Amino acid sequence: MRSVLLSLLAIGCSASQLLAAELPDIVVFLSDDHTIVDSSLYGSPDLKTPNMERVAKQGLTFDRAFVASPSCAPSRAALLTGLMPSRNGAEPNHSRPKEEIKKLPAYFQELGYEVVSFGKVGHYRQTPEYGFDIARHFNYHEDVAVPEALKWLDARESDKPLLLFVGTNWPHVPWPEPEDIDPESIKIPLHHVHTPQTCIARARYYQAIKTMDRELGEVFDAAYKKLGDDTLFLHTSDHGAQWPFGKWTLYDEGIRTPMIAVWPGKITPGKRTEAMVSWIDILPTLYAAVGQTAPKELDGQSFLPVLLGETDHHRDVIFTVHSGDGNKNVYPTRSIRTTRWKYIRNLHPEFKFTSHILGDNRPQPYWGSWVAKAKTVPEAARKVKRYLQRPAVELYDLDADPTEQNNLATDPQYAVTLAKLSDQLDAWMKEQGDPQKVYGEPILLSAE
């Protein structure tokens, strides 16, 4: 870098040009609806994600990264504003952040960056509203987005530093036909109902993940080939997949997300961290990586020291919220998570929990097979009921129960822990100005 700067000085470059020469390029690859444990990097016993593993070997893997909300629009709005949904205004799915809020592109454009988006970065057609210099191929499953991003990057000739977002639509539904995956070989999660239809649906889902993984590798390779080693690369997903207890819920399969960061010469390769970070932290972290300090009024906090190996700690607690997804999912809920404990508050336990899954739409119909099996198999009935009906409060010991199956909320042994977490959540919701609004028309359990 010093030799580059001296050369630029010798030919009379301006101060702004010198500043641009010092700024790293940044590439962010976003996957869509990817449950973290459905990858070999995070322990899947039967799904290989070789490009996730390859990228991880060159950087830092986060084992405790979380989104702000487990549905597309509020999750992405939190990423692109550094603010939680109650403060940025994008609470239910398909909603938008407030127009007057400064968005991520503006922070970097002020520094001379070209800020570009291909694919699903904001929530589909909302993407251009965030102020990207270029925003292309952001419609629903416009699957040319990744190859078009690669073509654009290869042909780019600008001297400006680049912040490039590439958002794949995979593994968001509709899942494709499996190519080389045997449905009968798939290991169904223990908290799901094992049926032939479930196996077929998971084979389709696995194929979608394999496509995502291939695209990740293509973008990663193209980024370093074109931009060089002084490039910060980040891969993560907006929330978990469209499976029961995943998307639309605050269980870890809904809110815990894969995250890998690579920055040659700055991030030690092949490491993992248990530092707890949130998607609201990404904006201030990227901003800190280019030498800037984000405004204190943001909810997000830079975890650059974690990237640089200076610490293995960031947050003590993670807050997550979900406010609903149209009339298909009217179920507001809030949570607080520590390294050990998860406390979930279902604001209206009198509501039936519904989601798009219950529609059993092709090409991934499986919910009907769960309901059918529940009529004769008690364990299947328990799982179906658990998805549709929730208590007011849930408490899980994640050390002993990582899949959140044993609710300890009514156990007197954990009353002190329950009260402490409840008080912390109350204080945070008050600080956020959380309106606890019900969006849409709920279905009451009493009406069933």
Side-chain angles (χ1 to χ4, degrees), residues 343-363:
Y343 170 98
I344 299 174
R345 182 180 299 166
N346 299 306
L347 302 186
H348 291 277
E350 72 275 17
F351 294 175
K352 178 181 179 180
F353 185 92
T354 60
S355 74
H356 301 61
I357 290 170
L358 275 58
D360 213 20
N361 296 321
R362 292 187 180 276

Side-chain angles (χ1 to χ4, degrees), residues 30-32 72-80 120-123 238 279:
L30 301 177
S31 52
D32 192 4
C72 300
S75 179
R76 292 163 186 269
L79 164 70
L80 295 169
K120 187 179 178 184
V121 176
H123 188 51
D238 62 348
W279 256 39

Side-chain angles (χ1 to χ4, degrees), residues 136-331:
R136 297 178 185 169
H137 306 295
F138 44 74
N139 292 313
Y140 180 74
H141 261 284
E142 194 172 351
D143 295 324
V144 299
V146 173
E148 288 299 315
L150 297 174
K151 291 179 187 177
W152 178 87
L153 181 60
D154 183 60
R156 182 177 183 262
E157 296 181 354
S158 174
D159 291 329
K160 283 187 172 185
L162 174 65
L163 173 47
L164 172 63
F165 281 83
V166 181
T168 178
N169 288 293
W170 301 110
H172 194 289
V173 296
W175 299 321
E177 290 286 346
E179 296 175 5
D180 56 357
I181 302 170
D182 177 10
E184 294 184 2
S185 70
I186 291 176
K187 295 178 175 61
I188 302 301
L190 292 177
H191 54 290
H192 288 185
V193 177
H194 196 300
T195 68
Q197 293 89 339
T198 305
C199 294
I200 293 170
R202 285 199 74 83
R204 294 177 183 271
Y205 170 57
Y206 277 20
Q207 186 62 52
I209 293 172
K210 288 167 73 82
T211 301
M212 177 281 296
D213 185 70
R214 172 179 55 77
E215 292 181 334
L216 166 64
E218 291 170 349
V219 173
F220 180 79
D221 291 342
Y224 284 101
K225 178 181 178 181
K226 180 70 175 185
L227 302 173
D229 282 350
D230 194 20
T231 300
L232 171 56
F233 186 94
L234 183 71
H235 164 52
T236 186
S237 181
D238 62 348
H239 46 70
Q242 191 165 310
W243 285 99
F245 313 108
K247 184 176 181 179
W248 305 295
T249 81
L250 302 185
Y251 303 115
D252 267 15
E253 287 195 5
I255 63 171
R256 183 169 162 245
T257 182
M259 185 180 288
I260 314 167
V262 177
W263 196 359
K266 295 184 174 62
I267 294 177
T268 303
K271 298 290 186 180
R272 299 185 84 109
T273 179
E274 293 190 349
M276 293 203 303
V277 302
S278 170
W279 256 39
I280 54 173
D281 299 328
I282 291 176
L283 189 164
T285 300
L286 298 182
Y287 205 47
V290 301
Q292 305 297 311
T293 301
K296 292 182 180 180
E297 57 266 26
L298 295 186
D299 292 319
Q301 305 165 9
S302 169
F303 55 82
L304 183 62
V306 177
L307 295 183
L308 300 180
E310 297 169 359
T311 181
D312 199 37
H313 177 268
H314 184 60
R315 289 182 176 270
D316 294 319
V317 298
I318 293 287
F319 295 102
T320 48
V321 303
H322 178 60
S323 294
D325 190 346
N327 286 333
K328 289 189 175 182
N329 179 246
V330 185
Y331 206 85

Side-chain angles (χ1 to χ4, degrees), residues 331-346:
Y331 206 85
T333 181
R334 308 290 187 262
S335 77
I336 177 173
R337 189 198 195 279
T338 69
T339 57
R340 178 179 176 182
W341 298 101
K342 166 79 70 61
Y343 170 98
I344 299 174
R345 182 180 299 166
N346 299 306

Side-chain angles (χ1 to χ4, degrees), residues 87-98:
R87 295 192 61 216
N88 72 45
E91 293 192 87
N93 202 16
H94 307 289
S95 60
R96 292 166 161 80
K98 299 170 187 175

